[in-house]
Amino acid sequence: MKWGNNDAPQWTIEQAMQALSQLHQAFLDNGYALALHGSVSRNGAGNDLDLIAVPMELSVPPPEQMEQIMCTLLGATPLPEEPRHGLLRTWARPCILNDGRQIDIEYRRPLPADRQHAQLLPFISVFWKNGYHLEFRSFPDRVAGHYLELIALAVDPNARSPEEMDLIMRDAFHAHTTSEPIDGSSTAHSYMLADGWTVGIRYVGPPASISG
């Protein structure tokens, strides 16, 4: 269900980039990378700003603390409601800026050790060298079926494009793509590996517009 005021002021892509610039360093200092998704990213405008905060370290401040930092930096107030908790360890609560604009940051939390999987390890260094932080997001039954679902969050303004990563995946892991990219706020690619595993990777970013 859509939250907030349908008559709230619209976000432009320029305002979104300004907000990202204001938040970027504080979130980075606390171990999070930020990425834009949703209608503003897709259409250049929207009635709420959707961001994803992905932990880059095993120990990071809780979402409640990061929400306070965000509200201080942007002049925002959380809506008086309980946070939303997703099945994939996500946490989110909408906030309203002083001028009425709406912002929603979805926090992804570090996975416990028993949700990590050895099959992920070879990808981490390859993607990091090419400007991406990888997050594991598969349900256990998907892993049991030899299917990995990953988020590749661009953390370097010079990160390779998803199309370039297709070539790297083919060279490094003898993978071939199994579906066409999906257009939207992020780009999803699916690969079949030589060992029979299928890997779905959703690319989010790049952050070039917030690095300076």
Side-chain angles (χ1 to χ4, degrees):
M1 189 169 91
K2 193 65 177 175
W3 54 270
N5 182 359
N6 291 329
D7 297 326
Q10 291 271 307
W11 284 88
T12 65
I13 190 66
E14 292 80 14
Q15 290 171 327
M17 293 301 102
Q18 183 180 15
L20 277 169
S21 295
Q22 290 176 266
L23 298 174
H24 174 65
Q25 192 60 52
F27 274 71
L28 190 63
D29 290 345
N30 284 282
Y32 286 92
L34 277 178
L36 173 67
H37 76 116
S39 59
V40 178
S41 173
R42 229 178 7 253
N43 306 322
N47 69 347
D48 65 334
L49 178 63
D50 294 306
L51 303 178
I52 298 174
V54 176
M56 297 179 61
E57 302 172 7
L58 291 177
S59 179
V60 292
E64 293 87 348
Q65 183 176 334
M66 297 309 301
E67 180 184 69
Q68 292 177 1
I69 293 173
M70 182 273 290
C71 287
T72 298
L73 290 171
L74 296 185
T77 303
L79 287 186
E81 62 183 48
E82 290 298 311
R84 305 188 305 274
H85 297 277
L87 292 175
L88 291 171
R89 293 179 56 80
T90 59
W91 185 103
R93 176 163 49 197
C95 298
I96 304 292
L97 273 64
N98 291 334
D99 63 6
R101 285 179 294 156
Q102 305 166 169
I103 183 169
D104 196 0
I105 301 182
E106 180 181 279
Y107 294 86
R108 298 183 178 272
R109 291 175 289 178
L111 290 166
D114 62 2
R115 286 287 302 280
Q116 303 295 343
H117 196 277
Q119 190 71 18
L120 173 62
L121 298 179
F123 299 103
I124 293 176
S125 61
V126 169
F127 273 76
W128 184 257
K129 289 176 184 176
N130 289 284
Y132 288 93
H133 164 77
L134 275 186
E135 184 195 359
F136 179 66
R137 63 187 295 267
S138 290
F139 290 114
D141 60 338
R142 300 278 273 177
V143 174
H146 285 195
Y147 188 93
L148 287 179
E149 293 173 289
L150 310 174
I151 291 177
L153 179 66
V155 294
D156 185 325
N158 298 312
R160 302 275 188 170
S161 69
E163 292 74 23
E164 290 174 313
M165 292 307 299
D166 282 351
L167 299 176
I168 292 169
M169 285 287 290
R170 291 169 192 165
D171 290 342
F173 302 106
H174 306 290
H176 64 270
T177 55
T178 63
S179 64
E180 292 297 319
I182 301 170
D183 292 332
S185 58
S186 52
T187 304
H189 293 228
S190 183
Y191 308 95
M192 177 67 75
L193 306 186
D195 61 5
W197 281 78
T198 300
V199 180
I201 300 180
R202 184 167 294 276
Y203 293 89
V204 180
S209 55
I210 67 172
S211 61

